[in-house]
Amino acid sequence: MDSIIAYFEQLDPILAALYATLFTWGLTALGASLVFLFKKMNRIVFDGMLGFTGGVMTAASFWSLLAPGIEMSDGNGFIKVIPAATGFLGGALFIFALDKILPHLHVNFKESRKEGLKTPWHKSVLLTLAITLHNIPEGLAIGVLFGGVSAGIEGASIGGAVALALGIGIQNFPEGFAVAMPLRGLGKSRWKSFNYGQLSAIVEPFSAVLGAWAVLTFEPILPYALCFAAGAMIFVVVEEVIPESQLEHNTDIATLGFVGGFIVMMTLDVGLG
């Protein structure tokens, strides 16, 4: 792991963010590739994986984003937390707006429950866009953190950025699976189901590069940007991931998955950051 961190330390931050999110995209594709091995998805396993995803995203929001964002803010007391509160609210409202605009359909929901603007798009596209919505703040968070490291801002570290990329990559594995398997159940070919599954994470490299560029160009926004990504991720967890994991009443499995995901991400961040 030390050699990986040393490698990323030598890279341009935008290139480092790109490489890190190509890794997370690759793990999404790996998860989607399970469609070649299985004919259907076990709902209990799926809910456990959804819970795990929520746990990783929640832990990453605090350990990798909110805590460093507060630490690097100026001032004391209530003044010090203003950038964090402002950024967090902005990120949540950003995903809220996307949720209302972007046409999408959550896994195992009927087509009558699709969200966003009305569109004639096929169910397969809507399912893919639902997971894509999760990946926007994830890629942004990785890019912002790498940008902060390059800017030399206290509280941001290469180890923390690598830990975040690793944790998000791990939880992207079940996300790829979560798109590909339902599409297979809809009658799509294995190859087409795989392609839709891996494409759900293609937004991560783009949002990561944008995040790194923004921080490098407008350095004072880093505390706001970190907390913006945190707010976006927490909104996704509370509004989509947790409710979906509880839909079939596999509450214990989903909750234990959440706890496991939180522990994994917390351990990675503290151990590497």
Side-chain angles (χ1 to χ4, degrees):
M1 186 58 70
D2 289 341
S3 60
I4 294 175
I5 293 175
Y7 172 74
F8 275 100
E9 286 176 339
Q10 300 171 7
L11 294 176
D12 173 86
I14 293 179
L15 191 61
L18 176 62
Y19 286 172
T21 45
L22 286 176
F23 164 75
T24 61
W25 181 16
L27 283 185
T28 305
L30 189 61
S33 70
L34 293 178
V35 76
F36 294 108
L37 303 177
F38 301 98
K39 293 182 178 180
K40 60 181 181 178
M41 178 173 60
N42 184 299
R43 182 67 206 211
I44 294 177
V45 173
F46 174 69
D47 287 341
M49 292 192 300
L50 268 181
F52 182 88
T53 293
V56 168
M57 293 175 73
T58 301
S61 295
F62 176 75
W63 296 98
S64 299
L65 302 170
L66 274 174
I70 294 172
E71 182 181 344
M72 64 184 63
S73 298
D74 296 326
N76 296 294
F78 289 112
I79 300 298
K80 190 174 181 64
V81 81
I82 287 176
T86 304
F88 191 88
L89 177 61
L93 291 177
F94 172 70
I95 296 299
F96 173 77
L98 279 184
D99 188 62
K100 298 302 179 187
I101 296 171
L102 185 70
H104 62 284
L105 177 67
H106 298 295
V107 178
N108 294 314
F109 279 24
K110 296 179 180 180
E111 277 199 80
S112 59
R113 296 187 63 183
K114 59 186 178 183
E115 301 177 26
L117 297 176
K118 292 183 178 180
T119 173
W121 293 349
H122 194 272
K123 188 175 181 180
S124 55
V125 176
L126 298 176
L127 287 169
T128 304
L129 288 175
I131 300 296
T132 301
L133 190 63
H134 295 191
N135 291 325
I136 293 173
E138 295 170 3
L140 184 64
I142 293 172
V144 165
L145 209 48
F146 273 109
V149 172
S150 177
I153 297 176
E154 186 179 356
S157 70
I158 283 290
V162 170
L164 179 61
L166 185 57
I168 287 177
I170 291 171
Q171 61 93 34
N172 272 8
F173 180 84
E175 284 190 353
F177 180 71
V179 176
M181 290 306 297
L183 293 180
R184 179 61 180 157
L186 289 173
K188 298 290 183 183
S189 68
R190 284 188 169 90
W191 183 249
K192 185 168 288 188
S193 299
F194 165 77
N195 275 329
Y196 275 112
Q198 60 89 17
L199 279 173
S200 66
I202 197 172
V203 71
E204 287 191 358
F206 292 102
S207 54
V209 168
L210 176 62
W213 171 83
V215 169
L216 289 171
T217 307
F218 309 102
E219 187 176 312
I221 72 167
L222 181 59
Y224 296 90
L226 286 171
C227 299
F228 181 95
M233 285 209 285
I234 291 297
F235 184 91
V236 168
V237 170
V238 176
E239 203 270 343
E240 297 180 3
V241 176
I242 291 178
E244 194 170 333
S245 72
Q246 308 284 325
L247 195 62
E248 294 297 318
H249 308 296
N250 296 316
T251 55
D252 291 340
I253 297 296
T255 302
L256 289 173
F258 183 97
V259 171
F262 191 98
I263 291 172
V264 167
M265 187 64 237
M266 178 179 65
T267 302
L268 286 172
D269 193 272
V270 174
L272 297 177

